[in-house]
Amino acid sequence: MPYANPTSLVSTEWLSQHINAPDIRIVDASWYLPAENRDPKAEFEAAHIPGAVFFDIDEIADTDNPLPHMIPSPEKFSSRMRRLGLGDGNRIIVYDGSGIRSAARAWWMIRLFGHEDVAILDGGMKKWLAEGRETSDLPSHPAERHFTSRFNSLMVREKTQVRKNLETAKEQVLDARSPGRFSGAEEEPREGLRGGHIPNSKNLPFNQLISDDGTLKESDALEAEFDKVGIDPKAPVVTSCGSGITACVLAFGLHMIGHRRVSVYDGSWTEWGLDNEMPLSVGEK
């Protein structure tokens, strides 16, 4: 079965054929956990897809918030997009160095602020390099472009809303972390975080949606993964993770199979787990 939103995912072959199209803009949104010991900006400067600009997830954020990479104000987001030469009339293609991980966060943010014409490069830089495609180390000097910000509050959830949902149960909460972190058996990578998960949430590790080569699984396989953990395709879903990055992979997967009511809990477990007043559950359920 084909994807419900096939234009939201482009192949490396497609991008190589359209790389010089006047409306195409390419974005490297690589981001890594501290334990991975990788510097995404340095890697971008050493080698990136020709014409790409670097989308710094930690800087295109509310840097006054103690929580990591929380969404910025519409004004800041518009300013950063303009500076990167990304704006109205552009078809934006986002990739990262993992395959599909932080690219999904940039994809979600760009749509959150009203720009719908954005897609993820299937397999990302990992696949691009494996196929021996051209890279560049030249700095990018994009011309500024106007970005019209139209914030869509339906796509994001705050802690108070997720807390209220424990009473109403109107939305399904789906956690993208590993089973060990979800159950509380595995230590959290951030200091001071309690172990466990939001009560009544379900667990679907984000990498279950990704094939071995870093590409997104086919539509039928995605549906099977969501079905396996008991997601009702007709009910709204809130995705969560450690800090709002891989939650966006789940949101992207749901988007690709046509789920229309999906939001991301921006603070995710970093916010919830640090707040001792927030209830939690441990174990597999």
Side-chain angles (χ1 to χ4, degrees):
M1 190 174 73
Y3 294 122
N5 291 293
T7 58
S8 295
L9 190 71
V10 301
S11 68
T12 49
E13 180 63 26
W14 182 94
L15 183 57
S16 68
Q17 292 173 0
H18 295 83
I19 199 165
N20 294 315
D23 62 327
I24 295 293
R25 297 291 182 275
I26 305 169
V27 171
D28 183 326
S30 298
W31 175 91
Y32 305 104
L33 284 164
E36 293 177 90
N37 292 315
R38 294 180 66 176
D39 183 337
K41 197 163 189 179
E43 289 184 20
F44 171 82
E45 289 169 356
H48 53 262
I49 295 176
V53 294
F54 185 69
F55 185 104
D56 189 338
I57 283 172
D58 283 329
E59 198 284 323
I60 305 177
D62 178 3
T63 49
D64 292 328
N65 194 313
L67 296 170
H69 40 253
M70 295 285 282
I71 56 171
S73 67
E75 293 77 18
K76 181 174 182 178
F77 190 80
S78 294
S79 168
R80 295 301 186 269
M81 293 292 278
R82 278 199 307 272
R83 198 180 297 173
L84 292 173
L86 307 171
D88 304 346
N90 287 157
R91 176 153 169 68
I92 301 172
I93 312 300
V94 189
Y95 73 89
D96 67 48
S98 301
I100 298 177
R101 185 169 63 175
S102 54
R105 173 71 180 189
W107 167 87
W108 172 77
M109 286 178 70
I110 291 166
R111 292 180 70 245
L112 175 69
F113 288 99
H115 190 95
E116 292 288 334
D117 199 359
V118 55
I120 291 177
L121 178 64
D122 201 14
M125 190 65 160
K126 180 180 173 184
K127 191 167 190 285
W128 187 269
L129 291 173
E131 293 168 348
R133 300 190 186 275
E134 182 186 359
T135 63
S136 171
D137 61 0
L138 296 175
S140 301
H141 300 291
E144 287 202 7
R145 190 176 185 94
H146 180 70
F147 182 90
T148 303
S149 179
R150 296 179 297 272
F151 184 75
N152 183 356
S153 62
L154 297 176
M155 289 177 59
V156 65
R157 290 290 179 270
E158 297 176 353
K159 182 173 66 176
T160 52
Q161 294 170 303
V162 179
R163 178 69 179 84
K164 181 70 175 173
N165 188 64
L166 294 181
E167 302 162 21
T168 63
K170 288 181 178 178
E171 298 180 319
Q172 305 167 94
V173 179
L174 187 60
D175 192 319
R177 293 176 300 153
S178 68
R181 288 175 66 189
F182 181 82
S183 69
E186 188 181 317
E187 208 169 291
E188 284 293 318
R190 293 176 177 86
E191 194 176 337
L193 272 185
R194 299 176 296 164
H197 56 268
I198 297 167
N200 304 320
S201 58
K202 303 173 190 294
N203 184 214
L204 177 56
F206 80 95
N207 54 13
Q208 293 294 110
L209 306 188
I210 310 297
S211 302
D212 290 341
D213 64 353
T215 58
L216 191 71
K217 288 184 177 179
E218 296 294 332
S219 183
D220 288 349
L222 291 179
E223 287 196 2
E225 293 293 348
F226 289 112
D227 184 60
K228 200 186 300 179
V229 297
I231 290 298
D232 180 351
K234 295 179 181 176
V237 180
V238 178
T239 64
S240 180
C241 61
S243 64
I245 301 283
T246 59
C248 298
V249 177
L250 297 186
F252 183 68
L254 288 162
H255 168 80
M256 291 303 291
I257 61 173
H259 203 301
R260 295 181 180 275
R261 293 184 291 167
V262 182
S263 54
V264 171
Y265 173 24
D266 193 32
S268 282
W269 189 251
T270 299
E271 180 176 49
W272 192 279
L274 283 172
D275 188 343
N276 291 327
E277 293 187 4
M278 292 298 107
L280 59 72
S281 297
V282 294
E284 294 180 5
K285 293 184 180 179

